Amino acid sequence: MIFALLLALQSDVGVVSGVKVTTDKVADVSSLEAWKASFIKPGMSDEEKAMAAWRTVSSFQHQDAPPMEYLANEETVCDPIKLFNVYGYGFCSMASAGVKQLSRFVGLEGRGWGINSHSVCEIKWNGAWHLLDASLINYFKKADGSVASVEELIAATSEWY
């Protein structure tokens, strides 16, 4: 009798998937669309959008040896949404890729640089490139208050040296 009852109960059991748990205490980064809704507000300037992308990666990705999945042709994970929600850590190249991908998702141009075995990205706004380093949580302001580019930093360092 008990066995028959257990069988009857099991037939009503289903698979639960696609569960999404959110809170008002943490921004939703479960998808690119959710990220955009959480961080990008109407009327934001391109600089504010780029800084939101940088701030997101700086907040949700800890700097550490990267996760290795050994899938397809790419071993490391460069999808920022997957990094934020599955792993939470990665190298500078992943942080750089994340800032570029989020910035590109909101219509900005992005490009990467390799500097002495370190990866950084630049995002373009107001007709100029600006270095945003989310792995070392850094960017450099010029005397006029704008964010410097890699080439401007190289020139300033060379001049100082």
Side-chain angles (χ1 to χ4, degrees):
M1 175 73 170
I2 294 175
F3 184 71
L5 181 59
L6 289 174
L7 284 177
L9 289 174
Q10 285 181 339
S11 65
D12 293 338
V13 176
V15 175
V16 177
S17 63
V19 175
K20 179 178 173 182
V21 178
T22 60
T23 174
D24 62 346
K25 306 297 182 216
V26 178
D28 186 355
V29 292
S30 60
S31 68
L32 288 171
E33 293 78 12
W35 167 79
K36 185 176 178 181
S38 292
F39 284 89
I40 306 300
K41 304 302 176 212
M44 286 178 88
S45 68
D46 288 347
E47 178 178 4
E48 291 170 323
K49 292 175 186 176
M51 294 306 288
W54 172 82
R55 194 175 313 99
T56 303
V57 177
S58 297
S59 299
F60 286 90
Q61 181 182 320
H62 174 73
Q63 180 75 6
D64 203 348
M68 305 296 277
E69 290 191 331
Y70 302 102
L71 301 174
N73 295 329
E74 200 166 313
E75 294 178 354
T76 58
V77 180
C78 290
D79 175 0
I81 301 304
K82 188 173 196 176
L83 277 168
F84 302 157
N85 291 286
V86 177
Y87 297 105
Y89 61 94
F91 269 166
C92 55
S93 57
M94 299 147 122
S96 175
V99 175
K100 283 185 293 198
Q101 289 174 344
L102 295 176
S103 296
R104 288 174 178 168
F105 188 72
V106 294
L108 303 176
E109 288 183 71
R111 67 182 182 189
W113 280 81
I115 305 172
N116 295 333
S117 300
H118 181 58
S119 293
V120 297
C121 74
E122 288 183 314
I123 306 300
K124 192 173 194 177
W125 69 79
N126 295 338
W129 291 102
H130 306 275
L131 170 115
L132 298 176
D133 185 349
S135 76
L136 298 181
I137 312 174
N138 201 0
Y139 56 86
F140 300 90
K141 292 232 177 174
K142 301 187 298 188
D144 66 4
S146 64
V147 177
S149 70
V150 170
E151 290 174 334
E152 289 169 327
L153 290 167
I154 291 169
T157 303
S158 297
E159 183 180 323
W160 171 82
Y161 189 68

